[in-house]
Amino acid sequence: MAKLFLVRHGQSQWNLENRFTGWQDIDITELGQQEARKAGVALAHEPIDIAYTSTLMRAQHTLKIILDEMGNPPIPIVIDAALNERGYGKLEGLNKDETAEKYGAEQVHIWRRSFDVPPPGGESLKNTYERVIPYYEHVIAPQLKVGKNVLIVAHGNSLRALIMYLEHLSPEQILEREIATGQPITYQIDG
């Protein structure tokens, strides 16, 4: 029986500013660093064999702090764009409230929370799922199958896609799921 630990990166500067972040490479805030430290403390007694993260600095910085808190275990760290946040396209950098005023709250809600409607020039959660799940099945799951404990530090929507898959949730169910920053979620994976 292996364990899979999922952690959403700590609060980023654009989370704080209520902006669409997507693929923009924005770092974490002081609060985000505190959240990462708490995650590291929470995981300190868990043996981790390998860690995965995205190419974006907010996830990588969070992972570094978590591993620092865990005493820097000598484990491989795999960085892959498959775990990146969903792309928000033309909305990236825009304030969410101002965007709702411009396009209407209902339209922005559809872009943010529907399963298969992407924002202009961006990815839907369905697109993100189609990127994350093959990576999980071909790269991460084989590690779990041989009994390795895996830590993934990624993003709200890339983790939401993975949780949807792991828990066999419908598009409606996953859209109701909030994933807090810096709070580990643990799964027991049986071969």
Side-chain angles (χ1 to χ4, degrees):
M1 183 87 60
K3 288 185 179 178
L4 172 62
F5 304 98
L6 308 181
V7 180
R8 180 181 175 196
H9 64 78
Q11 180 194 62
S12 75
Q13 186 60 41
W14 281 11
N15 291 147
L16 176 64
E17 295 172 12
N18 198 31
R19 295 174 182 265
F20 289 98
T21 312
W23 291 346
Q24 300 305 305
D25 208 8
I26 307 302
D27 205 357
I28 56 177
T29 62
E30 180 58 43
L31 175 60
Q33 292 174 42
Q34 291 172 21
E35 291 171 335
R37 283 191 284 278
K38 284 182 186 171
V41 169
L43 293 171
H45 300 294
E46 297 286 357
I48 304 288
D49 299 302
I50 188 167
Y52 293 86
T53 191
S54 77
T55 64
L56 300 170
M57 78 169 79
R58 58 193 182 272
Q60 291 181 28
H61 192 180
T62 300
L63 174 60
K64 181 187 182 311
I65 293 169
I66 289 170
L67 294 176
D68 285 349
E69 288 296 325
M70 297 178 75
N72 287 306
I75 60 169
I77 296 171
V78 181
I79 298 169
D80 200 288
L83 297 173
N84 282 8
E85 176 60 289
R86 73 183 267 203
Y88 275 101
K90 294 180 178 174
L91 302 184
E92 290 183 8
L94 300 180
N95 178 281
K96 292 174 184 174
D97 294 333
E98 292 169 6
T99 304
E101 286 175 24
K102 182 175 180 178
Y103 295 103
E106 186 176 334
Q107 180 61 62
V108 172
H109 183 75
I110 290 168
W111 286 334
R112 292 188 68 201
R113 289 295 185 237
S114 72
F115 181 67
D116 56 2
V117 178
E123 289 184 304
S124 65
L125 183 57
K126 181 175 187 273
N127 300 138
T128 308
Y129 184 97
E130 290 167 350
R131 161 167 58 81
V132 171
I133 300 313
Y135 183 77
Y136 174 80
E137 290 177 333
H138 295 107
V139 178
I140 299 171
Q143 299 290 331
L144 293 160
K145 283 181 182 157
V146 297
K148 291 188 178 177
N149 291 337
V150 174
L151 170 61
I152 301 174
V153 178
H155 307 269
N157 285 295
S158 53
L159 293 176
R160 188 175 275 126
L162 186 53
I163 289 168
M164 181 181 181
Y165 173 84
L166 293 170
E167 296 184 17
H168 310 287
L169 300 177
S170 70
E172 295 74 29
Q173 289 171 312
I174 195 57
L175 296 174
E176 298 303 315
R177 181 70 66 91
E178 287 298 326
I179 301 167
T181 52
Q183 293 186 15
I185 301 168
T186 305
Y187 291 91
Q188 301 275 350
I189 306 292
D190 189 356

